[in-house]
Amino acid sequence: MDEVLPFTIPSRDARGRVIRLGPSLHAILAAHDYPPVLRRLLGEALVLSAMMGTLLKDEGCQLTLQVQAENGVIDLLVCDYRLGELRGYVRHDAERLAALEGRETLQDLFGEKGYLAITFDLAATGKRYQGVVPLEGSSLARVCEAYFAQSEQVPTLIRIGLDVEGEACVAGGLLIQHLPDGEEGRERLHVRMNHPHWEHVAALAGSMTGKELVDPKLGLDDLIWRLFHEEDEVRLLETTALSRGCRCSADYYKTVLGRFPEEELDAMRDEAGAILVDCAFCSKVFPIEL
């Protein structure tokens, strides 16, 4: 539980990872009193963030997944992944959400002008790059598939499973990609969505169900075996342990607030002279004295 298992299928020029979240997912969802639709949406976003974040090779890289909208019921969803740590938050209008009365498509929740941005902060170079795609599709997983097809030219299939209604929250995911004409680290000379190797791998991976992805009786290696046991070779790589990791601290907020001019700090202080800082991710309040 709470880990990602990467794998490759060398003969098919494919790479992938499977994930399962449990206690860390529960801790993130429990920070706010989210209704069921937002618990499912945030759970999906956290699974996607972890799977895509572990595609980055260099230690210390960060992936941020952000969905924003104009005048949507949800105006911001943000998750990030770094060094095995996940955090996430959804900002929404509770009254407008209740008025939807079960209409829960992405367009219902975010409106017609929503978009998804995926940002990669690279530790080795200090550079940042971002891809943005419109929020079109039946789920965030479908939007991420479109991102990889359009921005990265990498055929990608994603499956998500969620069981977040009770106390024992579980989420699982499968991501698999085709890297034509070479494994990781080599230039892709062309990209064909109908390449025979990709069609074969996608057909197998597409049979994975959400129920299987959250089944506690099935280990991550069992899931891979179910799909690809007839392949000549499947290489299981080192797992990455996952945890809830909010990076908020009093020292961090002191550093940030120290950049403000004194007159603005005066306006922020309460009657006791402290500045109360509320972390949206973990729902903690930090009284900061400067």
Side-chain angles (χ1 to χ4, degrees):
M1 197 71 77
D2 287 327
E3 63 181 10
V4 176
L5 175 59
F7 64 94
T8 65
I9 308 175
S11 64
R12 303 290 184 181
D13 292 325
R15 69 173 179 180
R17 49 260 298 117
V18 285
I19 177 178
R20 189 165 290 146
L21 295 175
S24 59
L25 174 67
H26 174 75
I28 293 171
L29 296 181
H32 297 275
D33 186 19
Y34 292 120
V37 61
L38 297 192
R39 291 171 66 87
R40 293 192 295 270
L41 189 68
L42 184 53
E44 181 181 13
L46 289 165
V47 169
L48 290 167
S49 298
M51 290 195 296
M52 293 189 293
T54 55
L55 292 174
L56 299 170
K57 296 180 181 179
D58 295 332
E59 186 173 343
C61 293
Q62 177 172 312
L63 177 136
T64 303
L65 183 152
Q66 185 169 312
V67 186
Q68 286 191 274
E70 296 180 15
N71 299 316
V73 174
I74 300 172
D75 65 344
L76 174 66
L77 182 154
V78 60
C79 298
D80 67 42
Y81 167 91
R82 183 169 69 92
L83 296 172
E85 294 185 340
L86 281 168
R87 60 179 182 171
Y89 169 67
V90 183
R91 188 172 66 204
H92 69 289
D93 185 317
E95 291 185 2
R96 291 177 61 193
L97 180 62
L100 288 179
E101 297 180 345
R103 291 177 286 119
E104 299 175 352
T105 68
L106 292 183
Q107 288 68 39
D108 292 329
L109 296 170
F110 291 96
E112 297 300 323
K113 295 185 178 181
Y115 67 89
L116 179 142
I118 299 175
T119 305
F120 299 91
D121 291 285
L122 306 182
T125 62
K127 293 183 178 180
R128 167 183 292 186
Y129 69 96
Q130 184 180 76
V132 179
V133 291
L135 208 61
E136 298 173 351
S138 59
S139 66
L140 292 180
R142 302 291 84 76
V143 178
C144 287
E145 288 176 344
Y147 160 78
F148 280 111
Q150 296 171 22
S151 299
E152 303 284 342
Q153 290 81 51
V154 177
T156 302
L157 182 142
I158 299 172
R159 292 290 181 266
I160 303 288
L162 297 166
D163 183 3
V164 296
E165 305 302 326
E167 288 296 321
C169 299
V170 182
L174 165 71
L175 178 150
I176 190 160
Q177 297 182 317
H178 187 226
L179 304 179
D181 289 336
E183 296 182 20
E184 287 186 74
R186 288 166 55 186
E187 182 181 3
R188 296 190 300 274
L189 302 181
H190 69 276
V191 175
R192 287 170 46 197
M193 299 299 286
N194 62 345
H195 191 288
H197 283 338
W198 172 242
E199 290 182 337
H200 173 83
V201 169
L204 294 177
S207 67
M208 179 62 66
T209 67
K211 185 176 181 180
E212 288 174 300
L213 287 167
V214 298
D215 187 345
K217 297 178 182 177
L218 293 173
L220 298 184
D221 53 346
D222 295 325
L223 295 174
I224 297 171
W225 172 256
R226 281 195 171 194
L227 295 176
F228 305 116
H229 61 274
E230 293 186 354
E231 297 301 313
D232 293 336
E233 180 184 12
V234 178
R235 298 177 185 171
L236 301 185
L237 308 179
E238 185 177 354
T239 60
T240 297
L242 302 170
S243 63
R244 171 185 175 270
C246 193
R247 296 185 288 277
C248 62
S249 68
D251 290 339
Y252 170 76
Y253 289 127
K254 283 182 180 180
T255 300
V256 173
L257 290 170
R259 302 168 188 160
F260 286 77
E262 188 62 32
E263 57 269 22
E264 292 187 28
L265 293 175
D266 284 339
M268 300 179 195
R269 292 187 174 98
D270 62 12
E271 295 179 354
I275 300 173
L276 301 181
V277 180
D278 184 357
C279 175
F281 287 101
C282 65
S283 199
K284 292 180 181 179
V285 178
F286 294 82
I288 307 298
E289 296 184 1
L290 291 173

